[in-house]
Amino acid sequence: MVRGMGTPWVVVRQPGRTALHLVVCEAVVVGRDCEGLLLTDPEISRRHVQLEPAGSELTLTDLGSTNGTTVDGRRVCGSVRLVPGQVARLGGTTIERVDIDSGRHSAVVTDIALDRELRATSIDLVAAAVVEERPTLEADDAGTLTIVFCDIEDSTRRAVEFGDTRWMEVLEVHNAIVRRQTIRHRGTEIKAQGDGFMLSFPSARSALEAMIAVQRALAAWAGSRPADAVRVRVGVHTGEVIRREDGDLFGRHVILAARIAGAAYGGEILVSSLVRELVEPRGVLHFGEPRTIALKGLDGPHVVHRVEWAS
């Protein structure tokens, strides 16, 4: 949601990740483990910098980070004002202040000042690169794919409880399980942001089999290490999508999959009605009672179904 053309905009670039073009409407913390913009760069601190808008101006404050922050090569001590064209560097990540009026940065538009009663989740951050995206001229029709979004429930709180070292160990186990089952079931990793993943599969059945395997593997791991147990929520939807040259997928069906994942509870695989219709005739997979929900940014009620994966 754009709050006005005078609101400051930035482009966040991480190594190996798609750039995020963001409008900053309220003060937001950026770091590796925070309740603001969560990044995966291992060289940045848990709470590295804060971005704070004031009208059309933007202030960047280093929050006592370990490796420091520079703006145009000069180390930041305290707060500095970012003007269009300036670039802040934290670890391997850059934050560039851009002039949206120039029209040069229109690829991804998302609001990182979420409602105060809500917290950004890993799914929100992964989905940020596809919400309201306008594909470039190089984009083409990728056909029908099944899209999966997943992340760890309450990951920010759990990370604080565990501490850095233990949380990184848990995260490595979680990420390895997701990636192993994705490959095993012919899926593709489209994006990853901390504990959040966006995946694509050639069929609804392969996507559900992969996610069931993920849930069962995490449940087995939790049985042997209950103190380190985490609960993963999953959203799945099938539809025609658009693919850009770099492999990113876009379109309404991608957004729908992200919103379904955001409505799931920890330990739950939630699917759209279309996914259920595609896989149910074979009778191998079983579903819970239908649930009617509203999905943020999408009109009308939506019926979703829980996959019964435990047995």
Side-chain angles (χ1 to χ4, degrees), residues 4-308:
M5 298 305 291
T7 308
W9 294 62
V10 297
V11 180
V12 182
R13 296 182 175 90
Q14 294 185 85
R17 307 293 184 196
T18 300
L20 296 178
H21 298 231
L22 308 168
V23 54
V24 186
C25 298
E26 296 179 358
V28 61
V29 174
V30 180
R32 184 168 47 82
D33 177 16
C34 62
E35 293 188 5
L37 181 59
L38 188 68
L39 304 180
T40 59
D41 189 338
E43 298 181 26
I44 69 175
S45 297
R46 294 171 62 180
R47 300 177 75 257
H48 200 105
V49 297
Q50 176 173 283
L51 301 174
E52 185 170 8
S56 62
E57 296 188 353
L58 181 66
T59 299
L60 179 146
T61 303
D62 184 276
L63 300 177
S65 63
T66 300
N67 294 327
T69 306
T70 63
V71 172
D72 290 346
R74 296 183 178 180
R75 192 176 180 93
V76 174
C77 295
S79 300
V80 296
R81 185 166 69 92
L82 281 184
V83 300
Q86 286 190 315
V87 178
R89 177 173 292 276
L90 37 154
T93 298
T94 61
I95 300 176
E96 179 186 0
R97 171 77 192 277
V98 297
D99 182 3
I100 194 62
D101 293 330
S102 69
R104 294 184 301 110
H105 300 279
S106 59
V108 182
V109 180
T110 188
D111 185 346
I112 56 175
L114 303 177
D115 294 337
R116 290 192 178 273
E117 66 271 17
L118 300 177
R119 285 192 336 191
T121 67
S122 298
I123 289 173
D124 293 323
L125 297 173
V126 176
V130 297
V131 174
E132 299 184 16
E133 170 92 9
R134 290 189 176 183
T136 63
L137 293 177
E138 291 78 17
D140 61 10
D141 186 355
T144 300
L145 293 173
T146 296
I147 307 300
V148 172
F149 281 84
C150 63
D151 74 351
I152 296 175
E153 182 182 50
D154 293 334
S155 59
T156 300
R157 179 178 60 81
R158 301 304 303 279
V160 173
E161 291 175 357
F162 287 178
D164 286 349
T165 301
R166 184 178 164 201
W167 175 246
M168 290 306 297
E169 292 175 354
V170 171
L171 198 59
E172 286 177 4
V173 171
H174 163 267
N175 291 358
I177 289 174
V178 172
R179 290 185 166 119
R180 182 165 60 248
Q181 296 302 334
T182 298
I183 294 171
R184 182 180 177 188
H185 292 85
R186 300 177 294 122
T188 301
E189 179 182 326
I190 306 300
K191 298 179 185 294
Q193 184 83 20
D195 60 290
F197 284 88
M198 173 185 170
L199 314 167
S200 72
F201 291 84
S203 71
R205 183 175 181 80
S206 62
L208 294 191
E209 288 177 344
M211 292 302 100
I212 288 171
V214 166
Q215 294 286 24
R216 289 177 176 172
L218 288 171
W221 184 64
S224 62
R225 297 179 59 175
D228 293 336
V230 292
R231 289 161 53 86
V232 170
R233 55 191 190 142
V234 179
V236 186
H237 177 60
T238 299
E240 290 192 348
V241 298
I242 299 171
R243 176 163 37 216
R244 205 168 59 184
E245 274 190 337
D246 59 7
D248 277 352
L249 301 178
F250 304 98
R252 182 180 185 278
H253 295 294
V254 176
I255 298 171
L256 183 55
R259 296 296 182 244
I260 292 173
Y265 298 108
E268 189 172 58
I269 302 173
L270 206 59
V271 307
S272 65
S273 292
L274 177 57
V275 170
R276 176 174 179 169
E277 291 172 7
L278 290 171
V279 302
E280 193 173 35
R282 295 184 63 175
V284 178
L285 300 177
H286 303 282
F287 299 86
E289 291 297 317
R291 199 157 85 211
T292 302
I293 60 175
L295 298 177
K296 179 183 175 182
L298 298 172
D299 294 336
H302 296 264
V303 179
V304 294
H305 307 264
R306 185 184 70 253
V307 178
E308 304 290 358

